[in-house]
Amino acid sequence: MNLDWQKRIIDQQKNRPNDNRSPWQVDRSRIIHAAAFRRLQAKTQIMGIGLNDFYRTRLTHSLEVAQIGSGLLRHLKNQHTDFHHFPTTSLLETLCLAHDIGHPPFGHGGEIALNYMMRDHGGFEGNAQTLRIVAKLEPYSNGHGMNLTRRTLLGFIKYPALIDDLWHTIPSHSTSQRFIKADDWRPAKGLYSDDKEILHWIKAPLSVHDQTLLASHKKVDNYRSKTNYKSLDAAIMELADDIAYAVHDLEDAIATHTLTLTDWQNHAVPALTAIDSPWLKSNLASITQRLFSPFDYERKDAIGELVNTFIIHAHLTEQNSVFECPILQVGVELPDQYAGALQVLKQFVFNQLIREPHMQQIEFKGQNLLIELFNAFASDPLRLLPITTQHIYLQASKQNQGMRVICDYLSGMSDEYAYKTYERLFSPI
């Protein structure tokens, strides 16, 4: 492997006698011990579902993504013995464990709120915030975050272009309107211009040709464009995340009776039956029976079967042979019948659970709460921000990045801490 990918942005001299860890194992250790990672335990994976003590948080979700990711990696290595550029297990687990640490309180509602408030300051996006936390904010070093290896940082970048180049038309909104329309303010998926120096350092080992191609993008709607490529490491992590979202979030929804057998039969079964899939024809009835069995072990068995099925049918695919760097030439995907089934499960969870009006009302409440918090702190930051954050704000303001510091502070809150802060500022009692 090119040793440039093992480099860190600064050379920290640590007194660690006989430390025989690989660079990737060091990265994983730094993630596990980070405060931003621990905060995931206070953020629910699905807002409004946490009425029982066994529901998933973003922390347990991330642990499951890491387990699925390592399973995918083992399978891909066995299937493609002639490919010699896979990430190590430690590297991939690092990406999976930390892939959600940039997500703000209140799920997508929080992301929309912060993107709206940052509309004139570079936007907000959860994946961009993840890179910012690991490469700049987490206080393991002075200004360089966890000081992770270059390849690890590249793996965190699912959308390798700047938001300023992807958010081509910012919506208009009259400040006389009290509320915003969520769909107008869904973020362009990219990285902050405030962090472009980090991006340039990460991409430094790549040729100019590869850097240009990696940042290429296409228009997806009236407001946003989306990047075309990502590294192999990011692709494996993303598939692991998709599997966990589709299967394990489905399990939570069934276990808490949020989604019923009737919901499944009315919405998921017809879409799954429409897929030209011998596997589904043979297994759908059994999977349905076990998912909605009164016995927990049967539901667990069906969930495990679904996860295993998606893992063992993943394979490498050529992303673009024109890339010169081998970890950019290939991606990972599922055959059509399994990709179709995974997409149906994701859409079922999204449409029948995430987009369900009661859930959206909870998200809407959090969205507006975060907008009000942002307005409050922005009105008098040197009065309301914590002392240490005030110092950071003063320094950032010299580069016209003060609003980014307020955004960092609010996005790092857990749901509960954001509620308590709101009460402290606005409650009449």
Side-chain angles (χ1 to χ4, degrees):
M1 181 185 293
N2 184 339
L3 292 180
D4 281 340
W5 292 113
Q6 296 185 23
K7 287 184 178 178
R8 304 179 190 277
I9 197 165
I10 56 171
D11 183 18
Q12 293 174 294
Q13 298 300 319
K14 298 289 185 181
N15 183 22
R16 304 288 191 271
N18 302 315
D19 188 348
N20 59 7
R21 294 174 297 171
S22 72
W24 325 115
Q25 290 170 329
V26 171
D27 284 356
R28 182 178 59 186
S29 298
R30 291 182 183 182
I31 291 294
I32 289 172
H33 293 287
F37 179 66
R38 292 194 298 274
R39 289 191 192 103
L40 294 174
Q41 68 187 311
K43 297 181 181 182
T44 54
Q45 177 66 2
I46 303 176
M47 291 191 64
I49 204 171
L51 302 177
N52 299 281
D53 60 1
F54 54 83
Y55 68 93
R56 285 172 171 83
T57 66
R58 284 199 181 273
L59 179 62
T60 57
H61 163 76
S62 297
L63 294 172
E64 288 172 335
V65 174
Q67 183 266 328
I68 293 170
S70 62
L72 281 167
L73 182 59
R74 282 194 306 272
H75 167 73
L76 292 169
K77 285 182 174 179
N78 288 336
Q79 292 295 309
H80 301 275
T81 56
D82 57 337
F83 185 79
H84 304 295
H85 304 282
F86 283 111
T88 68
T89 300
S90 295
L91 192 163
L92 188 67
E93 287 182 347
T94 298
L95 301 179
C96 293
L97 288 170
H99 77 283
D100 263 357
I101 64 174
H103 282 248
F106 313 123
H108 290 296
E111 189 174 48
I112 288 165
L114 292 178
N115 190 46
Y116 168 69
M117 295 305 297
M118 291 295 290
R119 61 195 180 277
D120 297 324
H121 307 282
F124 177 87
E125 199 270 327
N127 296 286
Q129 194 68 18
T130 292
L131 180 69
R132 184 170 172 82
I133 288 170
V134 300
K136 183 177 283 189
L137 300 182
E138 188 67 22
Y140 186 83
S141 67
N142 184 16
H144 300 288
M146 302 181 202
N147 195 29
L148 304 178
T149 57
R150 183 181 262 126
R151 180 163 176 175
T152 297
L153 293 177
L154 179 65
F156 279 118
I157 302 176
K158 292 168 63 175
Y159 311 102
L162 298 178
I163 287 174
D164 284 355
D165 297 327
L166 301 171
W167 201 8
H168 50 75
T169 306
I170 298 177
S172 60
H173 177 75
S174 171
T175 53
S176 64
Q177 293 179 257
R178 185 177 179 188
F179 303 114
I180 62 173
K181 184 177 180 181
D183 284 343
D184 287 349
W185 296 100
R186 298 193 187 282
K189 294 183 178 297
L191 304 173
Y192 306 136
S193 291
D194 291 341
D195 299 330
K196 61 185 175 184
E197 291 182 5
I198 297 171
L199 177 61
H200 291 161
W201 182 83
I202 294 169
K203 296 194 301 181
L206 301 175
S207 67
V208 173
H209 168 272
D210 277 9
Q211 291 189 32
T212 302
L213 185 59
L214 185 62
S216 65
H217 48 83
K218 58 187 176 185
K219 187 176 179 179
V220 292
D221 61 26
N222 291 333
Y223 302 124
R224 292 156 286 242
S225 294
K226 188 174 181 180
T227 53
N228 298 318
Y229 304 110
K230 58 179 66 70
S231 71
L232 171 63
D233 308 354
I236 299 173
M237 176 263 284
E238 185 174 44
L239 178 57
D241 188 25
D242 283 349
I243 293 171
Y245 168 79
V247 180
H248 289 306
D249 287 7
L250 173 65
E251 180 185 12
D252 264 5
I254 294 172
T256 57
H257 306 290
T258 309
L259 291 177
T260 66
L261 177 59
T262 300
D263 295 325
W264 175 262
Q265 290 174 331
N266 287 343
H267 301 284
V269 170
L272 291 169
T273 304
I275 298 172
D276 183 13
S277 169
W279 168 69
L280 281 170
K281 286 181 172 61
S282 300
N283 294 283
L284 181 55
S286 172
I287 290 171
T288 297
Q289 182 273 319
R290 284 176 288 151
L291 281 178
F292 294 91
S293 167
F295 303 107
D296 290 347
Y297 70 87
E298 289 196 344
R299 183 175 62 251
K300 280 289 183 187
D301 183 59
I303 292 297
E305 181 178 324
L306 286 170
V307 171
N308 178 72
T309 297
F310 293 130
I311 288 176
I312 65 173
H313 287 96
H315 61 88
L316 292 185
T317 182
E318 185 178 277
Q319 176 171 241
N320 192 325
S321 62
V322 178
F323 277 113
E324 298 166 16
C325 178
I327 63 174
L328 300 181
Q329 290 174 350
V330 296
V332 60
E333 66 178 24
L334 295 170
D336 288 346
Q337 63 169 315
Y338 301 101
L342 183 62
Q343 184 61 26
V344 167
L345 295 181
K346 287 173 61 179
Q347 285 300 120
F348 176 64
V349 170
F350 180 77
N351 291 332
Q352 303 305 315
L353 182 62
I354 306 299
R355 294 295 295 178
E356 191 273 329
H358 176 72
M359 295 291 185
Q360 285 300 300
Q361 289 170 13
I362 296 173
E363 193 173 280
F364 178 82
K365 178 181 178 181
Q367 171 186 306
N368 291 301
L369 184 152
L370 207 54
I371 288 173
E372 290 206 42
L373 283 180
F374 198 113
N375 280 322
F377 281 100
S379 71
D380 201 347
L382 297 181
R383 178 188 182 194
L384 298 177
L385 287 171
I387 296 296
T388 54
T389 310
Q390 289 182 28
H391 294 314
I392 297 170
Y393 176 86
L394 279 172
Q395 292 301 313
S397 295
K398 297 175 182 178
Q399 285 79 45
N400 198 30
Q401 296 177 6
M403 291 300 102
R404 180 63 63 192
V405 174
I406 296 173
C407 185
D408 290 339
Y409 175 64
L410 293 175
S411 69
M413 292 180 173
S414 67
D415 300 9
E416 182 179 3
Y417 188 79
Y419 276 125
K420 288 181 177 178
T421 303
Y422 183 88
E423 287 185 357
R424 189 162 60 247
L425 290 174
F426 296 111
S427 175
I429 300 175

